[in-house]
Structure formats: C-alpha cells, structure tokens
Amino acid sequence: MIAVLCALPQEINPLISRVNITKKFSFEKSIFYHADLNGKSVIFAQTGIGRNNAVKATNYLLQTLKITSLIASGIAGGIRKGIHVGDLIIGENVSYCKQSDFEGESLHLESSYSCTRELVQLAVQLSTRLELRAHSGDVLTVDKVISHAGTKKEIGSRTSCMSVDMESAAIAEVAHAKNMDFVVIRSVSDDVDDDFEIDYDNLITDTGKVKISHLAMNILKNPQQLVNLKRLNKQTKTATRTLSVFMLQFLPLLYEKMTTPTNSS
C-alpha cells in the first residue's frame, strides 16, 4: 500500500475530497485516511508540521499497516529563480539542515537521502504528459518556515536545492532506515521573490489551526499581515490544486508499475 504524507489540512483536503474514504483514524497529532482509489487502497496522512510529527506519523504507519512506498507531499517554498507558484517539485535528493539562522552563516547539511529513481522517473514522465510546469532535482528540509525573500535567496545561492519544506527529509530518513521506496512530490506555494512577513510560530499551531487571538493582535499591530495571509492562502490553493490533479493520476500509475512483472534476462 502507498502512503501519501502531508503536514496540513490545507494540503491534504484537496486530495481526500476526490477519493472514497473508507476509514479515518488518528495517532497523537496525526490524522490518517484510508482511501479507495480506483479499487486500490491508499493512505493519506496529515502528519502535522515539522520533523518530529513527520517521524512519529511515518513510524506509526509502518508499525500498523503494510506500507510499500512513501510519498512526502504538500506545499513548498521555491528558492531559485524560474520556479513559480503552482509549479510541481519532484525531489531526486532531499537534505536536512537544522540551523535556525541563515543570515550570514554557511549552510550545514546534517543528512542527505536519495529518492527512488524509478518513482522520480515515473513522476517526471507523467508531469510531461500532463503538460505541467515541473522541476526535478534537490530539495531541502529545515526546522522553520522560511517566509522572507532574502533568506530564500541566501539558501538558494548556497545549495543546489530548488525548494524548502519542513518534513520531507524526516520521512526520507524513516524510508531509508526501512529500505522502502520514497519520493518527494510537492507544489510551490511561494516563490523566491515572495516576501511574507508572517509570524507563523505564533499564528498557526503545528496541526495547522489558526490561533485566532494571536492573529487578531498581529493584524492590529500590522494590517499588512492580513493582506499577506490572503495572498498566501490564494497561492496555496493554486499549489494544492496542481498537486491533487497530479497525484490522483500518479498513484494509479505507481500501483500499475508495482504490479507489472519485470522482464528477466
């Protein structure tokens, strides 16, 4: 069975709204949806934000269900020129950086993992067939939301990575430890020039719920935050729309590949 892991309800809802959910269950902060997609079972997981939540959710799935492939999905921030909102990101390699300050510091990568080549190739082929704007290459996982354009440009200039997120490397770590197929498939919600002065830590919980009182206080102090949040929400919808269109065609192809016997010489 294939498992698709996203952090937030905003990321997973466009997917689960288009499949038949047969069971819903939870573990700590994570919510899992057992779905039927064209007669095939798929798990969609809402892990919560960040490394710890992603690791816990992934390990729980592997301990309780027979999972064969893991897909780290959801939105990502573009950190290179030419990568735009709504573009598809297909990871070939994913690295993890745990530092919190990127201004004026060299970038230290704690770990790096390769995505399963066959899954990457299948994703690239499908994106071409669907005529989607897609980029395949390296992606980066960090422990904080990168909302400032200057920081995104700094990170992009110091690495070969195309995008940044907060969970992919954690899921990759578990997949590699279990010797499982794994790939990163995300869509861009903000590009390298988008500068959102949003205090995510104080405005959103790690399960994606808005802290209403904090939001109201921040808007009173800085009305521009409301404008930024509306724009980001619109761009997130663009990204998740691309992702759901792609994923709901990619998963059947992946199952077909898994059940097709390989020719032996």
Side-chain angles (χ1 to χ4, degrees), residues 90 107 142 150 186 201 265:
I90 302 168
L107 207 62
V142 296
R186 292 182 175 268
D201 291 339
S265 55

Side-chain angles (χ1 to χ4, degrees), residues 8-10 49 145 198-212 214-215 218 229 232:
L8 298 169
Q10 296 93 323
I49 297 173
V145 176
I198 300 173
D199 186 3
Y200 288 92
D201 291 339
N202 288 320
L203 293 183
I204 303 173
T205 69
D206 61 357
T207 57
K209 294 181 178 179
V210 176
K211 301 176 183 178
I212 301 298
H214 289 276
L215 175 61
N218 274 268
L229 284 168
L232 181 57

Side-chain angles (χ1 to χ4, degrees), residues 21 29-30 45 67 69-71 82 105-106 112 114 119 126 138 151 158 173 181 187 189 208 226 231 243 255 257:
I21 302 299
K29 296 180 179 180
S30 303
I67 304 297
S69 303
L70 294 168
I71 302 175
E105 286 191 22
S106 58
S112 294
S114 297
L119 271 61
L126 177 60
D138 300 337
T151 306
R158 297 175 188 173
E173 180 181 322
D181 286 347
S187 186
S189 60
L226 181 59
R231 183 158 64 93
L243 197 59
Y255 270 116
K257 179 178 176 59

Side-chain angles (χ1 to χ4, degrees), residues 57-251:
T58 307
N59 277 322
Y60 174 77
L61 272 182
L62 300 188
Q63 290 165 7
T64 55
L65 295 171
K66 190 175 181 181
I67 304 297
T68 56
S69 303
L70 294 168
I71 302 175
S73 194
I75 58 175
I79 57 174
R80 304 189 82 81
K81 289 286 188 182
I83 296 176
H84 305 289
V85 171
D87 286 4
L88 203 65
I89 296 292
I90 302 168
E92 296 179 359
N93 302 285
V94 54
S95 298
Y96 170 57
C97 175
K98 69 177 184 180
Q99 67 195 69
S100 59
D101 185 5
F102 300 95
E103 302 296 335
E105 286 191 22
S106 58
L107 207 62
H108 302 287
L109 301 181
E110 300 294 322
S111 54
S112 294
Y113 306 93
S114 297
C115 296
T116 305
R117 182 177 299 178
E118 291 78 10
L119 271 61
V120 173
Q121 291 174 340
L122 190 66
V124 170
Q125 290 167 3
L126 177 60
S127 67
T128 301
R129 194 164 81 232
L130 295 176
E131 298 183 339
L132 296 174
R133 284 181 57 94
H135 312 269
S136 60
D138 300 337
V139 299
L140 180 67
T141 296
V142 296
D143 288 332
K144 61 180 289 186
V145 176
I146 308 298
S147 60
H148 294 289
T151 306
K152 287 186 280 189
K153 290 172 183 176
E154 283 285 335
I155 296 173
S157 69
R158 297 175 188 173
T159 72
S160 60
C161 296
M162 309 176 294
S163 66
V164 63
D165 67 75
M166 295 180 64
E167 298 83 25
S168 293
I171 300 167
E173 180 181 322
V174 177
H176 275 250
K178 303 292 186 180
N179 196 30
M180 297 182 63
D181 286 347
F182 166 79
V183 70
V184 178
I185 300 176
R186 292 182 175 268
S187 186
V188 176
S189 60
D190 53 292
D191 64 33
V192 71
D193 293 316
D194 278 325
D195 204 345
F196 293 109
E197 294 185 10
I198 300 173
D199 186 3
Y200 288 92
D201 291 339
N202 288 320
L203 293 183
I204 303 173
T205 69
D206 61 357
T207 57
K209 294 181 178 179
V210 176
K211 301 176 183 178
I212 301 298
S213 59
H214 289 276
L215 175 61
M217 187 64 69
N218 274 268
I219 290 173
L220 284 173
K221 292 179 180 178
N222 181 10
Q224 181 62 34
Q225 286 215 1
L226 181 59
V227 176
N228 290 340
L229 284 168
K230 286 182 176 179
R231 183 158 64 93
L232 181 57
N233 181 59
K234 181 179 179 180
Q235 293 179 191
T236 296
K237 288 180 178 179
T238 298
T240 56
R241 189 162 50 245
T242 298
L243 197 59
S244 61
V245 166
F246 178 84
M247 195 65 71
L248 294 177
Q249 295 201 47
F250 178 69
L251 292 170

Side-chain angles (χ1 to χ4, degrees), residues 2-22:
I2 300 167
V4 180
L5 299 100
C6 303
L8 298 169
Q10 296 93 323
E11 298 169 321
I12 204 167
N13 285 344
L15 289 167
I16 62 174
S17 66
R18 300 176 65 179
V19 297
N20 178 32
I21 302 299
T22 58

